[in-house]
Amino acid sequence: EMEEYNEPPQDLIDYILSDECKGIAVLSGAGISVSAGIPDFRSPGGMYDTLRPELLTATTEQQQLMEVDPTAVVECGMFFSNQFPYLEVRKPFIIGTAEEKWKATPSHWFLRLLHDKQKLLRLYTQNIDGLDLQVGIPNEKIINVHGTIGSISCENCGVEYPRDDFMNKLKSNIKDIYGIDETAPKESKNILCLKCEQPTVKPSTVLYGSSLPSNFFTCVEEDFPDNVDLLLVIGTSLTVYPAAGLVDRVSPTCRRVLVNRDNVVSPFGSLGVFGKQKIEQNRNYFLKGNCDEVIEKLVNALGWKEDFNNLLPK
């Protein structure tokens, strides 16, 4: 059963503090960044919900496609035929991220604390916001499952594009559909790759229909199931695969903790993906609530409050 807890149970706390628990794998989603003010694409009022295709530089056919399915904005075929919808829609987000307009949340800093305590095996983040990169976790421990907005590269040939140069080009070449930048051009002009000269430069996020970064698959093979002593799932509804599949790659006795506002519902019934394997001991914990609030309770129960407070930016 998926037990729901308002306070972290003692057996879980004891296990995390024990020497047995030395490899915690974390799978994080949009919920971990909500308190930073990051716009969540899928929520009501999010990017997909409020998309206005008629404002975008696109053919009538492309606009109609985005009207029917807003995710077409970040779809591979669309981008290769027209880079403007992606760049116009995401322009404020790309610039805001580069300027660190949004700051890592207490939940992100908790992951850094797990690293400092030598408990963090790997962080698999589904977020593209780059907040995970602000807290000082070594890069090799972070897998950006869906890419990251924090680096720029060519979708066609893969060559990196200098970030500062790209930001300048984004400001000078791409029009403003939100009415927030008076200095933006009235019409968008392509940003070309410095090597292959195609209009296919963008932040290194994974487009729909593209393959995931190869290091995702390599690290999953390396980590699961043998090196994962505990799987911590934070702020994700576990609907997007293959990331959501990680919950089934752990060993049959590995403890799994879900920190989320809602229990996860999936094809496996109300227990979500967690209800699949029936075993003797209860190994599934649902800590219900907003990420930061639950993490604060967890930190206090672990006796890590002082270390945690020392990490947090003053």
Side-chain angles (χ1 to χ4, degrees):
E1 287 284 306
M2 188 71 171
E3 288 274 349
E4 185 180 310
Y5 298 93
N6 288 324
E7 296 292 332
Q10 195 55 46
D11 66 313
L12 176 62
I13 295 301
D14 293 343
Y15 178 70
I16 294 174
L17 291 170
S18 76
D19 290 342
E20 274 174 74
C21 179
K22 53 185 183 295
I24 298 179
V26 179
L27 173 62
S28 66
I32 196 174
S33 293
V34 168
S35 69
I38 292 277
D40 178 6
F41 305 134
R42 290 184 183 81
S43 306
M47 180 175 94
Y48 297 144
D49 193 30
T50 56
L51 187 73
R52 292 177 58 197
E54 74 279 5
L55 298 179
L56 302 174
T57 308
T59 64
T60 312
E61 194 182 347
Q62 288 170 340
Q63 288 174 338
Q64 285 166 344
L65 187 63
M66 291 183 279
E67 191 71 57
V68 176
D69 177 14
T71 63
V73 169
V74 291
E75 192 269 324
C76 187
M78 173 73 79
F79 183 78
F80 273 100
S81 58
N82 178 2
Q83 84 179 147
F84 296 135
Y86 178 102
L87 294 180
E88 289 171 358
V89 167
R90 287 226 163 126
K91 183 179 176 180
F93 184 48
I94 298 168
I95 293 171
T97 310
E99 293 171 352
E100 295 201 355
K101 174 180 169 184
W102 299 284
K103 303 289 183 220
T105 68
S107 298
H108 288 106
W109 285 102
F110 174 69
L111 305 181
R112 161 68 192 275
L113 184 59
L114 286 179
H115 167 69
D116 289 354
K117 298 281 181 189
Q118 298 181 329
K119 300 272 185 189
L120 181 69
L121 173 67
R122 197 102 49 194
L123 164 59
Y124 292 89
T125 176
Q126 299 173 84
N127 301 334
I128 59 170
D129 55 42
L131 296 188
D132 313 273
L133 307 170
Q134 291 180 9
V135 296
I137 296 169
N139 277 353
E140 65 272 12
K141 285 203 172 183
I142 302 176
I143 304 299
N144 293 293
V145 183
H146 299 149
T148 174
I149 215 141
S151 67
I152 313 296
S153 58
C154 174
E155 199 67 28
N156 181 49
C157 74
V159 164
E160 282 215 16
Y161 196 102
R163 193 179 180 187
D164 292 347
D165 296 352
F166 180 79
M167 292 307 148
N168 293 333
K169 276 276 194 286
L170 193 62
K171 290 171 185 171
S172 66
N173 286 27
I174 302 298
K175 75 175 188 183
D176 165 32
I177 61 166
Y178 299 98
I180 51 178
D181 177 13
E182 290 172 5
T183 63
K186 293 290 168 269
E187 285 181 20
S188 292
K189 292 201 299 286
N190 283 119
I191 303 176
L192 304 180
C193 172
L194 300 171
K195 183 168 184 243
C196 71
E197 299 185 348
Q198 294 302 302
T200 42
V201 180
K202 63 175 241 322
S204 311
T205 60
V206 177
L207 296 166
Y208 278 94
S210 298
S211 52
L212 296 187
S214 58
N215 69 351
F216 169 72
F217 300 102
T218 318
C219 289
V220 168
E221 288 304 315
E222 206 177 294
D223 296 347
F224 292 84
D226 298 346
N227 294 323
V228 179
D229 301 319
L230 183 143
L231 178 65
L232 176 60
V233 178
I234 306 187
T236 168
S237 50
L238 293 174
T239 49
V240 182
Y241 284 82
L246 294 186
V247 296
D248 294 318
R249 301 211 43 158
V250 295
S251 74
T253 52
C254 176
R255 288 170 172 79
R256 301 182 291 190
V257 181
L258 173 67
V259 174
N260 207 33
R261 281 193 297 222
D262 312 294
N263 203 338
V264 288
V265 178
S266 77
F268 309 117
S270 65
L271 293 180
V273 201
F274 285 149
K276 239 168 125 177
Q277 300 155 311
K278 284 230 172 3
I279 56 158
E280 296 309 306
Q281 74 179 94
N282 173 31
R283 66 179 184 133
N284 297 321
Y285 304 85
F286 172 37
L287 308 183
K288 184 181 170 69
N290 291 332
C291 297
D292 292 343
E293 290 164 16
V294 174
I295 291 300
E296 190 179 352
K297 289 178 180 176
L298 203 51
V299 166
N300 291 344
L302 287 162
W304 292 351
K305 190 173 180 178
E306 193 181 337
D307 293 339
F308 186 57
N309 287 343
N310 287 340
L311 270 182
L312 292 176
K314 295 294 172 274

